[in-house]
């Protein structure tokens, strides 16, 4: 979740690659995703499928890391989704 360029197009492209490499794309199969990286680190994505929305933010920093996942989709087992 690190980006070595502050170029907006590069951050967007790196965000797409990060979505695939991190496994987020597999978690949200069939979801229309808009993602981006932040310089020097951080990742943000918003996704939508029908009436369901998905938002993921990751900020990895040595002194304090943060990750969040928000959705209105109902799952039978949230533990499985969160562990992915």
């Amino acid at each position: 979740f690190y980006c070595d360029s502050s170029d907006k197009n590069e951050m967007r492209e790196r965000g797409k690659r990060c979505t695939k490499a991190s496994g987020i794309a597999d978690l949200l199969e069939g979801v229309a995703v808009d993602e981006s990286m932040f310089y020097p680190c951080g990742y943000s994505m918003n996704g939508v499928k029908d009436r369901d929305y998905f938002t993921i933010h990751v900020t990895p920093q040595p002194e304090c890391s943060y990750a969040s996942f928000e959705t209105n989709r109902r799952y039978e087992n949230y533990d499985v989704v969160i562990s992915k």
Side-chain angles (χ1 to χ4, degrees):
F1 297 106
Y2 288 85
C3 192
D4 55 2
S5 172
S6 61
D7 178 74
K8 291 185 187 232
N9 291 328
E10 174 60 26
M11 289 191 295
R12 183 168 296 282
E13 287 305 312
R14 188 172 292 246
K16 292 182 185 308
R17 292 191 303 267
C18 189
T19 298
K20 290 179 185 175
S22 67
I24 292 171
D26 297 333
L27 178 65
L28 302 176
E29 190 173 338
V31 174
V33 174
D34 180 42
E35 66 272 270
S36 188
M37 301 292 288
F38 295 98
Y39 177 79
C41 65
Y43 169 86
S44 180
M45 68 75 57
N46 295 295
V48 65
K49 181 177 182 182
D50 301 322
R51 300 183 102 190
D52 297 334
Y53 72 85
F54 307 84
T55 301
I56 297 175
H57 301 287
V58 179
T59 306
Q61 297 178 352
E63 59 278 349
C64 138
S65 293
Y66 177 80
S68 69
F69 173 66
E70 181 180 334
T71 184
N72 65 337
R73 181 175 178 195
R74 293 179 184 249
Y75 291 93
E76 286 186 31
N77 186 339
Y78 289 93
D79 292 338
V80 172
V81 176
I82 298 302
S83 68
K84 288 183 179 182

